[in-house]
């Protein structure tokens, strides 16, 4: 298909972009929003009362490909009762950042200051940087700091660095002038950091984005697939209406919601670019082949004994962390 101005591929690209911007219902998102909203109301009530009681936090934990980053983005971007950082706005109730690389307290502190609009020179000490962080969080009336991939601050670090990380995070929540809550998102390694300190563990509520199985998630997987197909404008062949196909889809997605959604979108994308009106098993097999480069014997949409295929190893997900996912769950 030639990509010329005004040709049909423009509309296909737009259609795929709309599909990738969809957000399908999921229980974990509602759990996450419920916990966050309670923390938010608690912080606002404390401020109205003039209380400086310690803040609390929450952790969203899921494996690579689970879609946790997408859930966190939707939590904040679609929250109607939250003041996000905008130009000309003094108040920034949430500051969000991906833990930078290298993952050091100094780099995180400088990134927070940049997000607050107060960048500092790199030659400042860690202590000075985090003193400034706490001061400017108060000036911007910030209620929460969100650290994505927070486990990188802790895992594979020495004992002293780990202690410094935990103590710094606790100092934000119990600052005597302006306590700030934490929203941490990351892989299950993050649990090790939370459990390492009794006080930190007491202050953090955990929302876990667990693995998907056909037995426990059949209705949700069926709903997700059906909704994406309907929105795509395609019909699906009889082979895709069978439970066996959806079981293969779950396995191909590594039993993680985020990657299952990505496989749905990739199969639909193959059909649309092929100019088809009907979605078929072959579109999903081709989508998996493009991503993995595997031969048919290792393609879960084609192999007879697909359960024995380690799709994460084939696609390299474990080595590359969370894939960038546009689709999500609401």
């Amino acid at each position: 298909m030639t990509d010329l101005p005004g040709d049909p591929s423009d509309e296909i690209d737009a259609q795929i972009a709309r599909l990738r911007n969809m957000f399908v219902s999921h229980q974990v998102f509602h759990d996450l929003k419920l916990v966050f909203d309670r923390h938010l109301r608690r912080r606002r009530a404390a401020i109205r009362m003039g209380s400086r009681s310690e803040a609390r936090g929450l952790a969203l934990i899921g494996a690579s490909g689970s879609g946790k980053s997408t859930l966190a983005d939707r939590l904040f971007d679609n929250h109607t009762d939250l003041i996000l950082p905008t130009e000309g706005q003094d108040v920034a109730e949430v500051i969000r950042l991906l833990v930078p690389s290298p993952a050091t307290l100094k780099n995180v502190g400088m990134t927070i200051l940049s997000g607050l609009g107060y960048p500092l020179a790199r030659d400042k000490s860690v202590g000075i940087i985090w003193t400034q962080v706490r001061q400017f969080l108060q000036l911007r009336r910030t209620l929460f700091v969100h650290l994505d991939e927070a486990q990188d601050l802790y895992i594979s670090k020495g004992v002293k660095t780990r202690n410094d990380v935990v103590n710094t995070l606790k100092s934000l929540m119990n600052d005597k002038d302006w306590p700030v809550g934490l929203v941490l998102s990351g892989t299950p390694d993050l649990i090790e950091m939370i459990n390492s300190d009794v006080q930190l563990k007491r202050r953090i509520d955990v929302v876990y984005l667990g693995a998907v199985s056909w037995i426990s998630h059949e209705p949700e997987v069926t709903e997700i697939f059906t909704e994406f197909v309907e929105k795509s404008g395609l019909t699906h062949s009889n082979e895709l209406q069978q439970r066996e196909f959806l079981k293969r889809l779950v396995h191909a997605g590594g039993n993680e919601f985020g990657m299952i959604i990505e496989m749905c979108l990739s199969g639909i994308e193959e059909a649309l670019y092929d100019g088809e009106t009907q979605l078929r098993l072959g579109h999903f097999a081709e989508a998996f082949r493009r991503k993995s480069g595997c031969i048919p014997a290792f393609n879960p949409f084609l192999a007879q004994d697909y359960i024995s295929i380690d799709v994460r190893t084939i696609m390299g997900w474990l080595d590359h962390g969370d894939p960038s996912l546009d689709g999500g769950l609401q």
Side-chain angles (χ1 to χ4, degrees):
M1 184 176 294
T2 304
D3 294 331
L4 298 175
D7 77 14
S9 64
D10 293 338
E11 177 53 35
I12 292 174
D13 292 338
Q15 188 174 5
I16 292 171
R18 287 192 293 269
L19 289 172
R20 289 188 173 276
N21 197 44
M22 281 178 55
F23 202 56
V24 184
S25 188
H26 182 243
Q27 184 59 44
V28 175
F29 178 79
H30 296 297
D31 294 341
L32 176 66
K33 189 173 186 304
L34 175 66
V35 174
F36 176 74
D37 285 352
R38 288 178 178 176
H39 283 282
L40 179 61
R41 290 194 300 269
R42 189 179 299 145
R43 290 298 307 129
R44 287 174 171 169
I47 292 171
R48 288 194 301 269
M49 295 172 60
S51 170
R52 291 294 182 261
S53 59
E54 67 179 31
R56 294 177 59 86
L58 65 92
L60 174 62
I61 295 175
S64 294
S66 62
K68 58 186 177 298
S69 296
T70 300
L71 291 184
D73 288 343
R74 293 291 177 164
L75 173 67
F76 298 123
D77 291 342
N78 293 350
H79 204 297
T80 58
D81 189 28
L82 198 62
I83 304 175
L84 299 176
T86 56
E87 187 175 351
Q89 172 66 260
D90 292 333
V91 177
E93 291 186 318
V94 175
I95 295 296
R96 305 159 55 189
L97 68 141
L98 175 67
V99 170
S101 180
T104 65
L105 280 175
K106 184 172 185 177
N107 285 345
V108 169
M110 292 177 62
T111 304
I112 293 175
L113 288 174
S114 179
L116 290 166
Y118 304 100
L120 285 183
R122 288 184 175 272
D123 59 355
K124 301 295 183 181
S125 69
V126 174
I128 290 176
I129 288 174
W130 279 92
T131 296
Q132 293 289 290
V133 166
R134 289 189 287 272
Q135 291 173 349
F136 289 127
L137 286 172
Q138 182 174 6
L139 283 175
R140 295 297 301 272
R141 312 293 287 178
T142 300
L143 304 181
F144 294 93
V145 171
H146 171 218
L147 302 178
D148 192 18
E149 301 300 342
Q151 77 281 347
D152 290 346
L153 269 173
Y154 189 85
I155 299 302
S156 302
K157 309 291 185 182
V159 174
K160 183 182 183 304
T161 299
R162 289 186 173 201
N163 290 337
D164 288 344
V165 167
V166 170
N167 290 333
T168 299
L169 295 179
K170 288 194 301 183
S171 73
L172 289 182
M173 291 190 286
N174 62 16
D175 186 271
K176 61 181 179 64
D177 295 319
W178 187 258
V180 176
L182 293 175
V183 178
L184 308 175
S185 53
T187 66
D189 289 331
L190 184 56
I191 287 289
E192 183 179 345
M193 182 180 80
I194 295 172
N195 287 338
S196 70
D197 185 271
V198 174
Q199 293 178 336
L200 185 64
K201 182 178 180 180
R202 174 175 60 83
R203 298 172 189 173
I204 299 290
D205 295 328
V206 175
V207 177
Y208 187 63
L209 189 56
V212 177
S213 74
W214 176 251
I215 294 175
S216 59
H217 294 86
E218 176 182 355
E220 289 167 298
V221 172
T222 302
E223 179 183 356
I224 288 169
F225 176 72
T226 301
E227 185 161 353
F228 274 116
V229 174
E230 288 178 352
K231 296 294 184 181
S232 72
L234 299 169
T235 61
H236 49 77
S237 60
N238 290 335
E239 60 190 351
L240 302 189
Q241 295 175 324
Q242 301 171 6
R243 297 167 77 243
E244 180 65 19
F245 163 73
L246 292 177
K247 290 180 182 180
R248 289 176 179 267
L249 180 65
V250 169
H251 189 75
N255 296 92
E256 300 292 348
F257 265 120
M259 287 309 302
I260 291 169
I261 288 174
E262 180 64 17
M263 287 309 309
C264 284
L265 293 170
S266 296
I268 290 170
E269 187 172 337
E270 287 292 331
L272 291 175
Y273 278 130
D274 283 349
E276 300 282 358
T277 59
Q278 186 178 68
L279 187 62
R280 294 178 285 102
L281 181 64
H283 295 125
F284 290 91
E286 178 62 12
F288 191 90
R289 186 197 66 79
R290 288 185 189 279
K291 286 182 176 294
S292 66
C294 71
I295 62 175
F298 293 104
N299 191 313
F301 292 106
L302 299 176
Q304 184 173 359
D305 185 21
Y306 67 91
I307 292 296
S308 65
I309 299 173
D310 186 348
V311 295
R312 285 181 172 268
T313 299
I314 291 174
M315 297 180 73
W317 297 342
L318 292 181
D319 294 331
H320 295 90
D322 269 345
S324 176
L325 301 177
D326 296 311
L329 305 167
Q330 174 166 281

